[in-house]
């Protein structure tokens, strides 16, 4: 505790303790507020609410800082791999060589999914969105891999299975949606290369693994690996607080991420850029985004926390340039994105509202360069976010002060009302 704040309510004064995080951010601890004053707080959308204390990820939205376990995301994107970053987030430290090797072996050993799960895929309508399928498949994993008696072993195995099998499930959903033969995971390939091979290898055209594409995927997933208490992570923590199994909690996170205001924005950005390319309507798109009476928003712009450039967006944009230059692949949507970004950054509306491009603005172009189809974009985000969800869930269940998440409300409905029988209505 670093002091207190005085609250005067009615005839009485109350002292609410202040708490401070390791980066100096301060909060009012209101955990005894209702008990002592009878009041609750009202914060729709939780923009002013700290839901937990966490030692996993630090963001400074004003300065555009993002660190996992203290390490800047820029350094991880340059020097680490997604697998190592996942280890860091979940275990709280970078692995030694032996720890990383053991982790790789475990991931390899658990990469297959039960053959019976294919039946689920085959019965989904072909038009189903892969995020809906992934969410239900992850939930279904519990039925195929029932809980072990030893709690520690159960948690470790579930974490390993999820990290390894979600990749396989995602690639399977793509192959089956196209009516193609499923490609099995290969133990000789690295985490990212293995996924790319499962996605793109085929009996008629073997997939050639390109180290630049593997690097791009590593960076893409590292940039998405955690983002403290965002919507989907909060969903995982809230659902997890009811002490459901981890599969169910992650399944809820995937469902939340699907939304276009969250992870679904990467798909929405490409759809918006394609619309601009087809209809040459960039001016109109900007006007619509500024129109208060139109629910349309400039997708890939704005962020609840960042009020400056999203640091992930800068790395993503560089990755986009490098990948396109190396592959000699030109994407007309990149030019449109650059022009749109410049117009928005110089427009009074976007300046006054502190709206900058977020990670999703360029991520779709990177994914297109890798060869990922648009409807799989949010699935790619989900695979990347998995270590963060797991780390946050683990932290929550290990917290001795953790409680069932159950907010209160201010009721605005009718007062005590007599039931009227159907004949009298
Ligand atoms: N285009 C136009 N106006 C915007 C945009 C946008 N992309 N984003 C916010 N605004 C405006 C709002 O209309 C509002 O204006 P007003 O104050 O004049 O009414 C103001 O900025 C504040 O907007 P809020 O919705 O209150 O801000 P919030 O923090 O809730 O929104 C969000 C954050 C949801 C990300 C929003 O910026 C948005 O919808 N962006 C587009 C979708 C997107 O790119 N999502 C991905 C986010 S990153 C991620 O999840 C990985």
């Amino acid at each position: 505790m670093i002091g207190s704040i005085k609250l005067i309510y009615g005839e009485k004064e109350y002292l609410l303790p202040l708490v401070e995080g390791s980066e100096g951010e301060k909060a009012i601890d209101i955990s005894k507020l209702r008990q002592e004053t009878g009041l609750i707080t009202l914060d729709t959308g939780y923009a002013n609410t700290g839901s937990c204390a966490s030692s996993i990820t630090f963001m400074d939205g004003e300065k555009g800082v993002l660190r996992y376990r203290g390490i800047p995301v820029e350094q991880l994107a340059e020097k680490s791999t997604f697998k190592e970053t996942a280890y860091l987030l979940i275990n709280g430290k970078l692995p030694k060589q032996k720890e990383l090797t053991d982790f790789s072996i475990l991931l390899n050993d658990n990469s297959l999914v039960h053959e019976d799960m294919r039946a689920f895929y085959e019965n989904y309508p072909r038009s189903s969105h892969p995020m809906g399928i992934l969410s239900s498949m992850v939930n279904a994993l519990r039925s195929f891999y029932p809980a072990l008696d030893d709690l520690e072993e159960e948690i470790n195995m579930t974490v390993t299975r999820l990290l390894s099998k979600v990749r396989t499930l995602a690639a399977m959903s793509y192959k089956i949606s196209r009516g193609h033969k499923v490609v099995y995971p290969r133990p000789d390939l690295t985490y990212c290369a293995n996924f790319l091979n499962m996605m793109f290898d085929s009996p008629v055209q073997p997939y050639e693994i390109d180290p630049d594409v593997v690097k791009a995927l590593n960076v893409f997933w590292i940039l998405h690996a955690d983002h403290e208490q965002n919507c989907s992570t909060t969903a995982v923590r809230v659902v997890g607080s009811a002490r459901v199994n981890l599969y169910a909690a992650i399944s809820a996170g995937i469902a939340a991420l699907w939304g276009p205001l969250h992870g679904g924005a990467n798909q929405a950005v490409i759809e918006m850029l394609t619309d601009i390319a087809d209809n040459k309507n960039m001016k109109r798109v900007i006007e619509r985004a500024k129109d208060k009476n139109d629910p349309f928003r400039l997708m890939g712009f704005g962020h609840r926390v960042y009020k400056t450039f999203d640091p992930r967006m800068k790395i993503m944009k560089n990755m986009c340039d490098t990948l396109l230059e190396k592959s000699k692949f030109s994407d007309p949507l990149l030019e449109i994105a650059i022009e749109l970004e410049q117009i928005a950054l110089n427009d009074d509306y976007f300046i006054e509202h502190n709206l900058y491009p977020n990670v999703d603005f360029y991520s779709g172009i990177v994914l297109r360069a890798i060869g990922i189809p648009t409807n799989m974009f949010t699935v790619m985000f989900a695979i990347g976010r998995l270590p963060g969800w797991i780390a946050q869930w683990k932290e929550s269940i290990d917290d001795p002060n953790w409680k069932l998440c159950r907010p209160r409300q201010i009721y605005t409905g009718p007062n005590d009302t007599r039931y009227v029988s159907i004949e009298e209505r």
Side-chain angles (χ1 to χ4, degrees), residues 34-273:
R34 186 168 177 278
Q35 188 186 322
E36 291 179 3
T37 67
L39 298 171
I40 61 165
T41 55
L42 182 62
D43 184 21
T44 312
Y46 311 132
N48 303 285
T49 296
S51 62
C52 59
S54 176
S55 62
I56 301 170
T57 290
F58 173 69
M59 301 171 64
D60 182 330
E62 268 69 40
K63 296 193 186 122
V65 171
L66 176 62
R67 298 186 205 127
Y68 301 156
R69 302 286 188 184
I71 304 176
V73 73
E74 291 81 0
Q75 291 179 26
L76 291 166
E78 190 191 335
K79 298 180 181 152
S80 185
T81 60
F82 175 62
K83 185 168 57 187
E84 188 186 58
T85 300
Y87 187 101
L88 167 74
L89 282 165
I90 295 167
N91 298 291
K93 62 177 180 71
L94 286 170
K96 295 202 165 74
Q97 185 56 59
K98 162 104 176 50
E99 290 167 327
L100 189 60
T101 308
D102 290 349
F103 187 47
S104 304
I105 293 170
L106 267 178
L107 292 177
N108 267 332
D109 288 352
N110 285 280
S111 56
L112 282 173
V113 296
H114 201 293
E115 281 292 319
D116 288 353
M117 290 192 86
R118 288 175 68 148
F120 287 149
Y121 281 105
E122 276 146 18
N123 289 309
Y124 266 101
R126 285 280 184 260
S127 58
S128 308
H129 195 285
M131 281 298 272
I133 301 178
L134 189 67
S135 177
S136 47
M137 287 296 168
V138 167
N139 213 345
L141 281 172
R142 170 81 305 168
S143 315
F144 288 90
Y145 304 96
L148 304 171
D149 290 336
D150 182 285
L151 186 62
E152 198 181 331
E153 198 193 347
E154 156 63 12
I155 291 177
N156 290 339
M157 277 313 296
T158 305
V159 167
T160 311
R161 283 189 196 122
L162 274 164
L163 285 172
S164 195
K165 293 185 200 304
V166 161
R167 246 180 344 171
T168 315
L169 289 171
M172 267 172 85
S173 73
Y174 172 62
K175 285 292 191 192
I176 292 173
S177 73
R178 304 196 71 196
H180 289 179
K181 190 170 177 289
V182 167
V183 177
Y184 285 84
R186 270 176 42 188
D188 57 315
L189 295 178
T190 60
Y191 190 93
C192 292
N194 211 344
F195 172 75
L196 289 166
N197 192 63
M198 284 191 276
M199 283 287 289
F200 301 121
D201 189 52
S202 96
V204 288
Q205 198 172 13
Y207 181 65
E208 270 181 44
I209 293 165
D210 176 342
D212 290 328
V213 174
V214 174
K215 172 73 187 162
L217 184 55
N218 268 294
V219 173
F220 178 90
W221 277 341
I222 288 170
L223 295 181
H224 286 85
D226 195 40
H227 218 217
E228 49 119 303
Q229 308 314 317
N230 57 84
C231 176
S232 55
T233 301
T234 301
V236 170
R237 279 187 179 257
V238 171
V239 173
S241 81
R243 294 290 185 257
V244 293
N245 63 77
L246 180 57
Y247 300 109
I250 298 290
S251 167
I254 296 171
L257 189 74
W258 189 2
L261 294 191
H262 190 16
N266 56 12
Q267 176 172 342
V269 169
I270 291 298
E271 286 161 0
M272 178 185 76
L273 296 175

Side-chain angles (χ1 to χ4, degrees), residues 45 47 224 227 230-231 257 259-266 268-269 286 288-292 294 296-307 310 312 349-350 353-356 358-361 381 385:
H224 286 85
H227 218 217
N230 57 84
C231 176
L257 189 74
L261 294 191
H262 190 16
N266 56 12
V269 169
I286 296 269
R288 282 192 65 196
K290 299 191 310 186
D291 183 353
K292 273 206 162 301
D294 189 330
F296 175 79
R297 287 185 165 190
L298 196 61
M299 300 314 286
F301 256 73
H303 197 274
R304 173 62 62 81
V305 181
Y306 294 123
K307 298 304 164 200
D310 178 337
R312 303 168 300 172
Y349 173 90
F350 291 89
H353 285 78
N354 281 325
L355 296 171
Y356 291 84
N358 59 48
V359 67
D360 288 321
F361 197 68
F381 190 157
R385 184 53 55 86

